Amino acid sequence: MNKKEKILAIKEVFDSLYPDAECSLDFTTPHELLVAVQLSAQCTDARVNIVTKTLFERYTSPMDFATADEDELAQIIRSCGFYRTKAKNIIASSKDIVEKFGGKVPDTMEDLTSLAGVGRKTANLILGDVYGKPAVVVDTHAIRLSNRIGLTTNKDPVKIEYDLKKIVPSDYQSRFCHQLVHHGRAVCNARKPGCGECGISHLCKYNKGDKANEQN
């Protein structure tokens, strides 16, 4: 079975196990998602959702964030960690969205990654979840699971992104990455993967004994 065939077999299982897999961050607009993802760096989605409940009541538009007082914003997001850097980036990226993109979150990788605090992972999440474009979000779950399953041998997120783009159907890429998050949290965690309860164990390189170079 080649990697493209393996992906289709995994898709069949994942679509049964996680049919409604989606981003676990709470948002109602593209800009809210962008801000939430910026806050999620080195922070749990659960904590971000607690913070943004208050944050998005205080600031309701890109213009609100662009003109925010940095110290005030930093205090609201303090519990997310790295709050001063995140506040600075949120304000700077919001200013660019207002001034360069007419208040609309851009829809290309080049434009998104030109924004402060926005890397390829964040950009791909926006492209996939907001604009419905083919996009591979490589987070810690995607790195761990794609290596364990045998879909890539790379550890670098950008290389993994391109490896997965070659084998995952374009209309499945975004959902697949969300399903990897769900599976990583529920079954294939970093410390001790639950191979005995895993629905794709028969497709997994790690389960077949290839545990060399395992990186938690």
Side-chain angles (χ1 to χ4, degrees), residues 15 58 60 102 104 110 116 130 169 173 175-176 178 187:
D15 280 352
R58 174 67 181 83
T60 61
K104 182 176 182 289
E110 182 180 8
V130 173
Q173 289 176 5
R175 187 164 85 257
F176 175 62
H178 288 314
V187 180

Side-chain angles (χ1 to χ4, degrees), residues 6-196:
K6 181 180 285 191
I7 286 292
L8 293 179
I10 291 171
K11 179 181 183 298
E12 186 174 350
V13 177
F14 276 2
D15 280 352
S16 174
L17 292 174
Y18 316 111
D20 302 316
E22 58 185 15
C23 182
S24 54
L25 293 168
D26 294 337
F27 67 97
T28 57
T29 68
H31 188 253
E32 285 185 357
L33 177 58
L34 182 66
V35 170
V37 179
Q38 288 175 295
L39 292 176
S40 71
Q42 305 299 312
C43 183
T44 66
D45 289 355
R47 166 56 55 184
V48 172
N49 287 338
I50 292 171
V51 170
T52 55
K53 186 174 182 180
T54 299
L55 184 68
F56 294 154
E57 290 177 354
R58 174 67 181 83
Y59 307 99
T60 61
S61 69
M63 178 62 78
D64 284 350
F65 279 100
T67 56
D69 178 83
E70 188 176 315
D71 288 336
E72 180 184 354
L73 176 58
Q75 290 307 311
I76 295 174
I77 66 173
R78 187 183 184 99
S79 64
C80 289
F82 303 100
Y83 58 98
R84 296 206 176 277
T85 298
K86 289 178 180 179
K88 189 183 296 291
N89 285 339
I90 288 169
I91 291 172
S93 62
S94 298
K95 283 182 178 178
D96 278 351
I97 287 171
V98 170
E99 296 171 3
K100 297 180 181 179
F101 302 106
K104 182 176 182 289
V105 175
D107 63 354
T108 69
M109 176 63 71
E110 182 180 8
D111 286 343
L112 283 165
T113 53
S114 75
L115 301 173
V118 177
R120 292 189 67 87
K121 182 177 76 172
T122 298
N124 273 311
L125 186 64
I126 297 294
L127 291 174
D129 279 35
V130 173
Y131 295 111
K133 294 186 175 185
V136 173
V137 179
V138 181
D139 61 2
T140 56
H141 297 288
I143 293 171
R144 183 173 73 253
L145 270 66
S146 61
N147 271 273
R148 281 179 176 170
I149 295 167
L151 303 177
T152 182
T153 57
N154 285 304
K155 306 299 183 186
D156 178 73
V158 177
K159 291 180 179 178
I160 293 172
E161 177 188 334
Y162 286 119
D163 284 347
L164 293 179
K165 279 186 174 181
K166 293 175 185 175
I167 59 175
V168 181
S170 59
D171 62 349
Y172 177 53
Q173 289 176 5
S174 182
R175 187 164 85 257
F176 175 62
C177 293
H178 288 314
Q179 289 173 336
L180 286 179
V181 173
H182 282 258
H183 196 66
R185 288 173 176 167
V187 180
C188 194
N189 61 57
R191 291 183 178 275
K192 188 177 181 182
C195 300

